[in-house]
């Protein structure tokens, strides 16, 4: 893992790699990283006319400073997905379509240190970004990255839960049936209702089928004008899950 710290200023935050000789930050400029080495976490100090503080990065810091390749899943959906998948340190979860790793980071945090996340990502370009984002986190060792196209013929992987962020997850439902433990959870993230309908059409015999769209409204925390923000994100995706319970 890189030796990362969060550098916080009044208007900006940055991730700084303490193993790099030089650091180059927008609005602050370039400086030798070792000028930060003697600073204590949580204690303000001056850096090129900016009052700064070093902190330990949280999942939210890592997520908000993530390098983006393909479209990422955002926190309102990540929270539900992670909760509903039951991600905990005794589980093995398979994630198909790692992309930029926004979900991967959150699942890895919940699974560490003894759980495991197996992530399929077919694109070399996306894998490079995913790897970089994951390497910045302390949870890298809980993740196995698989740079392969996931297909219905992919060898079975016994798992507690399974998550698809791919365009046609209904092609993988037979695979899911073979790989999930009894009671295991299958989940898909789908941008359109057309995909939701196709997916649900393939879920005959599955139990506890649920369909969720999370709506979050962000407000401005401004003492003199406490109200919803002018611009808010519209639709992101639908989340469908079903449970592998065979009562016959
Ligand atoms: C929308 S992105 C996933 C974003 C990710 N969930 C995140 O939060 O950062 C979908 C990813 O799935 C990958 N993908 C699509 N079909 C795949 C398949 N059959 N096997 C492996 N990866 C696949 C794409 O290359 C792409 O990176």
């Amino acid at each position: 893992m890189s030796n990362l710290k969060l550098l916080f200023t009044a208007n900006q935050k940055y991730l700084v790699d303490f193993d790099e000789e030089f650091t180059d930050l927008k609005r602050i400029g370039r400086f030798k990283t070792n000028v930060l080495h003697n600073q204590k976490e949580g204690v303000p100090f001056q850096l090129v006319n900016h009052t700064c503080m070093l902190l330990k990065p949280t999942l939210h810091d890592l997520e908000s400073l993530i390098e983006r390749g393909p479209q990422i899943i955002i926190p309102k959906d990540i929270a539900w997905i992670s909760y509903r998948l039951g991600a905990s340190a005794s589980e093995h979860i398979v994630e198909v379509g790692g992309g930029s790793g926004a979900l991967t980071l959150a699942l890895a945090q919940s699974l560490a240190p003894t759980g495991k996340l197996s992530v399929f990502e077919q694109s070399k370009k996306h894998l490079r970004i995913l790897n970089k984002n994951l390497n910045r986190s302390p949870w890298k060792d809980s993740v196995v990255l698989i740079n392969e196209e996931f297909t219905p013929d992919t060898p079975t992987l016994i798992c507690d839960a399974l998550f698809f962020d791919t365009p046609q997850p209904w092609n993988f439902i037979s695979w899911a049936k073979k790989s999930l433990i009894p009671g295991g959870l299958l989940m898909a993230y789908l941008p359109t209702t057309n995909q939701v309908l196709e997916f649900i059409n393939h879920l005959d015999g599955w139990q506890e089928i649920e369909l969720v769209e999370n709506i979050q409204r962000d407000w401005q925390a401004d003492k003199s004008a406490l109200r919803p923000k002018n611009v808010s994100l519209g639709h992101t995706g639908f989340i469908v899950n079903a449970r592998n319970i065979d009562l016959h």
Side-chain angles (χ1 to χ4, degrees), residues 71 73 97-103 121-122 126 148-150 165-166:
Q71 188 71 38
I73 296 181
S100 309
L103 180 66
E121 175 48 62
Q122 65 187 7
H126 298 171
E148 283 173 19
E149 180 186 1
F150 184 90
D165 187 358
T166 56

Side-chain angles (χ1 to χ4, degrees), residues 7 9 23 26 89 108 110 136 160 166 179 234:
L7 181 74
T9 69
T23 298
K26 212 169 156 186
S110 300
R136 290 164 137 192
D160 300 280
T166 56
S179 292

Side-chain angles (χ1 to χ4, degrees), residues 12-134:
Q12 199 78 35
K13 61 181 180 179
Y14 311 88
L15 285 173
V16 176
D17 187 344
F18 269 39
D19 293 336
E20 292 292 329
E21 193 182 351
F22 288 95
T23 298
D24 197 353
L25 304 177
K26 212 169 156 186
R27 290 186 215 176
I28 293 186
R30 185 176 156 88
F31 56 90
K32 276 202 145 193
T33 312
N34 65 13
V35 302
L36 300 176
H37 286 181
N38 290 331
Q39 302 299 338
K40 282 208 175 96
E41 279 184 23
V43 179
F45 63 94
Q46 288 300 120
L47 177 69
V48 208
N49 299 326
H50 294 263
T51 305
C52 300
M53 185 182 282
L54 289 172
L55 295 169
K56 194 162 74 163
T58 64
L59 174 63
H60 176 68
D61 296 322
L62 295 172
E63 294 278 4
S64 50
L65 298 169
I66 202 169
E67 180 177 333
R68 289 180 185 226
Q71 188 71 38
I72 63 168
I73 296 181
I74 65 170
K76 73 176 174 78
D77 291 327
I78 287 178
W80 171 254
I81 292 166
S82 186
Y83 159 77
R84 201 61 191 83
L85 285 175
S88 73
S90 58
E91 308 276 301
H92 175 211
I93 296 182
V94 175
E95 180 191 0
V96 182
S100 309
L103 180 66
T104 306
L105 286 179
L107 291 180
Q109 184 192 36
S110 300
L111 291 165
T114 47
K116 181 176 142 188
L117 181 65
S118 301
V119 184
F120 287 83
E121 175 48 62
Q122 65 187 7
S123 153
K124 281 219 170 348
K125 190 171 146 206
H126 298 171
L127 192 85
R128 187 198 59 75
I129 296 168
L130 172 54
N131 215 359
K132 181 174 169 194
N133 288 328
L134 189 59

